[in-house]
Amino acid sequence: MTKSTKAPLNTAELSTLWRDARNVRATAERKGVTLDACEERRETYIAQNFFEIGCWLFYYSKKVGLAGKECLKARIDCAIRLKMAGIENPGYDFFTVFDFGERTFDTIFEMGDSHQVVNALKLA
């Protein structure tokens, strides 16, 4: 796993994520995401209390569907970070703010090399 504790995001990305985490409803409206009141409360809680893992998930959301060794490394790293955070399946809790949803999570294990991802998780 990458040893860095902070997701490698630029200042503009971090600034946008901070703003979005403070107002999930406005973020949903801007992105065209539909949220009910329960989802809004849940995602607001997640965005404000799990911000750093959310930043990592935002970073990985652009990498998990790519091909090659770097993609495999990113998917393994993402899976390990989720495991270390105690998150078995993020569902859509990180979707509105961090663009990481259940389909993105599933992709970690659906690229034809899931045995490598699972083996790395067992060793983590």
Side-chain angles (χ1 to χ4, degrees):
M1 182 173 82
T2 306
K3 294 189 192 286
S4 177
T5 58
K6 298 286 184 187
L9 303 176
N10 64 45
T11 304
E13 290 170 321
L14 277 173
S15 176
T16 299
L17 292 174
W18 271 115
R19 182 193 70 218
D20 291 351
R22 286 191 302 271
N23 192 339
V24 174
R25 172 60 57 195
T27 303
E29 290 173 6
R30 187 182 84 247
K31 292 182 173 183
V33 174
T34 303
L35 291 176
D36 64 25
C38 182
E39 291 166 330
E40 180 182 356
R41 283 190 302 275
R42 176 81 179 151
E43 287 198 47
T44 297
Y45 175 82
I46 293 293
Q48 293 174 358
N49 291 281
F50 296 90
F51 185 78
E52 194 56 45
I53 187 68
C55 288
W56 277 105
L57 296 178
F58 176 80
Y59 170 76
Y60 292 126
S61 70
K62 298 167 184 54
K63 298 184 177 309
V64 298
L66 303 175
K69 289 184 180 185
E70 283 303 308
C71 175
L72 174 61
K73 183 179 181 294
R75 288 185 288 114
I76 290 170
D77 196 44
C78 183
I80 291 172
R81 284 188 190 280
L82 284 166
K83 178 182 178 182
M84 291 177 66
I87 301 169
E88 290 183 26
N89 182 343
Y92 284 98
D93 291 344
F94 293 88
F95 185 70
T96 303
V97 173
F98 302 104
D99 299 331
F100 193 96
E102 193 164 321
R103 288 300 309 137
T104 312
F105 176 73
D106 291 347
T107 300
I108 293 171
F109 302 97
E110 295 177 346
M111 296 293 290
D113 53 11
S114 60
H115 62 283
Q116 290 176 286
V117 178
V118 171
N119 285 339
L121 275 172
K122 288 178 183 176
L123 297 173

